[in-house]
Amino acid sequence: QDFEVVVRGEVSGLSNHPTGVYFSLQDEDKKALLQCYMPPFVYKAAGVVLEDGMQVQVGGQASMYKPKGRFSFLVRTLELTGEGTIQKAYELLKKQLKAQGLFDRKRELPDCLSRVALVTSATGAVQADFRNNLIKRGIKIDLYNVLVEGARAAADIVGALQRVYARASQYDVVVLVRGGCSLEDLQAFNSEPVAKTLFAS
């Protein structure tokens, strides 16, 4: 229990309760099962809608429920794997967020920009391209460095956006960008916490 391990597999027997999310991970041969428990806050932070049959990668620790001597896996991080699973989760989340009205409000961009909050990775080429194109037009840019991929990227992006909002009067717009164009590259951006934080701007 002193270290985190990573396990990949297919979700089966998914059960979503107020106390947490319970499911099994099975291997490719469907011969081995690992019982998993994911606390509600971890599931919410992952920002995906899980279904049976999805391929995932989870990080966490071995856990023992002492009253019954039951071994399970305590999930601390969750990422989708495989294009089919990522596409399906994207469509499910998009439908859910649309029903909540998150895509109904559009705002016009200001005619003139003087200062922009840029939320992206400091090491990515996209921030350099962004800077090169805007600085020569006299626009000031404040970079908020974030992780743009991995299990903790969505939470990092949400935290950066909240820091921007605390200084909102200083900016004309906030821009959230990254390089890459596959759904796998954009998992952190296609998450419920990020979408709702953007909507709350």
Side-chain angles (χ1 to χ4, degrees):
Q1 290 190 344
D2 296 334
F3 59 93
E4 184 173 288
V5 296
V6 175
V7 183
R8 287 177 179 251
E10 180 181 309
V11 174
S12 69
L14 181 72
S15 181
N16 195 345
H17 290 279
T19 57
V21 179
Y22 301 83
F23 59 93
S24 295
L25 280 184
Q26 54 186 4
D27 64 0
E28 289 180 4
D29 300 329
K30 302 195 187 309
K31 291 179 180 176
L33 282 178
L34 175 64
Q35 303 297 320
C36 297
Y37 165 72
M38 183 165 42
F41 69 92
V42 174
Y43 186 50
K44 185 176 180 184
V48 299
V49 179
L50 273 184
E51 282 194 346
D52 283 350
M54 288 184 167
Q55 298 289 329
V56 298
Q57 175 176 295
V58 296
Q61 297 166 317
S63 176
M64 183 68 74
Y65 181 62
K66 291 181 181 178
K68 294 189 176 180
R70 185 185 303 141
F71 172 82
S72 66
F73 191 77
L74 176 60
V75 176
R76 296 292 189 193
T77 62
L78 178 136
E79 290 181 87
L80 303 175
T81 59
E83 279 296 320
T85 291
I86 294 168
Q87 180 69 42
K88 186 174 184 180
Y90 170 74
E91 295 299 337
L92 285 169
L93 182 62
K94 186 175 170 185
K95 183 177 179 182
Q96 177 182 309
L97 296 178
K98 187 170 185 175
Q100 294 173 19
L102 264 69
F103 303 128
D104 296 339
R105 187 183 72 196
K106 304 290 182 189
R107 292 180 177 169
E108 295 294 322
L109 286 172
D111 290 331
C112 295
L113 299 177
S114 60
R115 194 165 184 180
V116 172
L118 176 63
V119 180
T120 191
S121 169
T123 59
V126 70
Q127 65 89 20
D129 292 342
F130 196 90
R131 283 177 178 277
N132 291 339
N133 284 297
L134 268 70
I135 288 176
K136 63 187 177 187
R137 290 173 171 79
I139 298 170
K140 293 185 178 74
I141 298 170
D142 289 350
L143 175 65
Y144 288 77
N145 182 31
V146 295
L147 297 170
V148 293
E149 58 188 48
R152 292 182 171 85
D156 204 31
I157 292 167
V158 167
L161 289 170
Q162 289 169 342
R163 290 193 302 279
V164 171
Y165 298 165
R167 303 172 61 194
S169 62
Q170 299 178 27
Y171 301 112
D172 300 305
V173 294
V174 56
V175 179
L176 172 63
V177 292
R178 76 148 296 169
C181 60
S182 72
L183 275 178
E184 191 163 5
D185 290 337
L186 298 170
Q187 273 191 79
F189 292 73
N190 293 329
S191 70
E192 185 174 4
V194 170
K196 288 191 170 178
T197 304
L198 287 169
F199 185 77
S201 68

